[in-house]
Amino acid sequence: FAGPVGVGKRTAAEALARYFLCHKPRPGTAGAGATLTPEQFPRACGRCPSCVTFDAGSHPDFHVVYRQLIRIEKKDSKARDLSADVIREYLVAPAQHTAQLNNGKVFVVKEAELMNATAQNSLLKTLEEPPGKCLIVLLTDSPAYLLSTIRSRSQLLLFRALDRETVSRELARRDVGVSDAAHAARYAAGSLGLALRWLEDGVIAQARELEDRLTALVSGRGGGDLPDWFKKSAYAYAGKQLVRDELYSRDQANKEGLLLFLKLAAEFFRGQLVATSEPDDHERACDAIDAILLTETYLDANVTVSVFLQQLVGSLEAKYSRREAGASRALI
């Protein structure tokens, strides 16, 4: 299952697993090629022993494989890759065992693109000749990172970003206020999962504040303390991730926070491209996006964070102060 983060790949995989393992599955009610309504989808019965244990979260034949499982053996592992040890121990080996409820086994591999080459190669034989009734679902937002030998042994199902109305509606169903839902749907770019996570982590409120600051900057009022704001917001985001996962690398969490807010800044300037038809404004917005992309490359270099953030904001201020100077000369 390939598609953006947070658009339902995991949910779809779980629904498929529940149906696959059900002892008395209900077939769909429409013929081949017909467009099905949700009520006509094939579905699990919801009453058999398999469905009961699946819904309780304790199905012995449903296995979720993810990179952090390496920590069970290595408590201090940062688990940046989905290692071959995890694939062998939690997928290849149990796939050979008899299903405990006698109706097959399902393995869902999260972040499959993070499998290193050794891990992917260790999976090939099981993918090509799965033992017995066995379903393996790889979840990825970057299918190109999978080896061609993996892709050729799999059936690719593409998921796309959700439209804003769908994300807003689903957020409203979860008691999110109208204004927050609308902003979350816009900032999360069609990802319900990201919208929910960002609301929980305060990212949506920070994104609105960033938009206000960048609006002031492009109006010629300067960036103010924007470099410090980027740093503090990124580190606050990182802190939330470390609360969720105490073994997570602080440096990596800080980097992800900075990348997140730089990405949101780039999206702001992409919006500027759409909002204006002036060639000079287009050029400034493109230059701003290029400056942000260049700043992202510094995250992997030995450059002090404060230095490259000051450089970025100074570059943006220079571009938009020239805009205001030009407008003043035109008025004179």
Side-chain angles (χ1 to χ4, degrees):
F1 289 2
V5 172
V7 297
K9 299 188 298 296
R10 167 82 185 262
T11 300
E14 290 182 351
L16 176 60
R18 188 171 183 265
Y19 177 77
F20 183 86
L21 296 169
C22 179
H23 295 164
K24 297 179 180 179
R26 302 174 184 175
T29 58
T35 299
L36 302 182
T37 64
E39 292 74 21
Q40 294 173 314
F41 290 161
R43 63 184 62 202
C45 72
R47 297 187 301 274
C48 70
S50 175
C51 287
V52 171
T53 54
F54 193 99
D55 293 343
S58 57
H59 200 295
D61 300 317
F62 177 63
H63 307 266
V64 178
V65 182
Y66 51 98
R67 58 191 169 95
Q68 291 89 348
L69 284 171
I70 193 67
R71 296 175 181 169
I72 293 176
E73 299 298 330
K74 302 177 182 179
K75 300 296 185 182
D76 61 344
S77 173
K78 302 303 182 184
R80 293 184 179 179
D81 291 337
L82 209 172
S83 72
D85 289 342
V86 167
I87 294 298
R88 293 188 186 112
E89 183 173 352
Y90 295 98
L91 197 162
V92 175
Q96 309 299 321
H97 301 160
T98 302
Q100 294 188 42
L101 295 187
N102 301 316
N103 209 41
K105 302 177 292 294
V106 177
F107 298 87
V108 175
V109 181
K110 296 173 60 179
E111 298 179 304
E113 73 281 357
L114 296 183
M115 285 190 291
N116 57 40
T118 304
Q120 293 190 49
N121 284 322
S122 70
L123 181 59
L124 287 178
K125 182 174 176 57
T126 305
L127 274 182
E128 189 165 16
E129 299 176 359
K133 187 181 178 185
C134 182
L135 175 65
I136 300 171
V137 184
L138 309 178
L139 308 182
T140 179
D141 60 1
S142 302
Y145 287 3
L146 297 174
L147 297 176
S148 59
T149 47
I150 292 285
R151 298 197 304 269
S152 67
R153 288 165 172 78
S154 308
Q155 180 179 354
L156 178 64
L157 295 179
L158 293 174
F159 288 66
R160 66 180 182 179
L162 305 172
D163 59 72
R164 289 186 186 178
E165 291 74 17
T166 298
V167 176
S168 296
R169 183 174 65 251
E170 290 300 316
L171 291 174
R173 288 181 55 211
R174 292 162 172 80
D175 297 325
V176 176
V178 173
S179 178
D180 284 342
H183 282 91
R186 178 160 64 91
Y187 293 129
S191 172
L192 177 60
L194 279 183
L196 289 166
R197 174 66 66 88
W198 287 355
L199 282 165
E200 180 181 348
D201 288 352
V203 172
I204 299 304
Q206 290 172 307
R208 295 171 72 172
E209 186 177 344
L210 175 59
E211 185 171 345
D212 291 341
R213 288 172 176 267
L214 292 175
T215 298
L217 188 150
V218 301
S219 300
R221 288 175 282 165
D225 64 345
L226 191 53
D228 288 338
W229 184 93
F230 270 117
K231 191 174 178 179
K232 290 177 182 178
S233 298
Y235 291 177
Y237 171 84
K240 296 290 182 66
Q241 312 320 306
L242 292 168
V243 169
R244 288 195 179 95
D245 185 351
E246 62 183 12
L247 291 179
Y248 199 52
S249 163
R250 176 173 289 278
D251 287 343
Q252 183 64 21
N254 288 341
K255 177 181 175 181
E256 289 181 3
L258 286 166
L259 283 171
L260 168 59
F261 289 105
L262 289 172
K263 176 185 175 184
L264 289 171
E267 288 299 323
F268 170 86
F269 287 106
R270 291 188 182 98
Q272 295 289 298
L273 289 173
V274 177
T276 181
S277 59
E278 291 294 329
D280 287 347
D281 288 340
H282 279 172
E283 183 177 354
R284 271 184 283 268
C286 288
D287 287 346
I289 293 169
D290 287 341
I292 292 168
L293 293 176
L294 178 61
T295 300
E296 290 178 358
T297 66
Y298 293 151
L299 290 175
D300 292 319
N302 190 23
V303 181
T304 304
V305 170
S306 298
V307 171
F308 68 68
L309 289 176
Q310 288 283 0
Q311 181 177 331
L312 170 64
V313 174
S315 173
L316 297 177
E317 286 178 326
K319 297 178 194 305
Y320 285 96
S321 64
R322 288 198 300 270
R323 171 193 181 185
E324 292 304 307
S328 297
R329 285 195 297 272
L331 288 173
I332 293 171

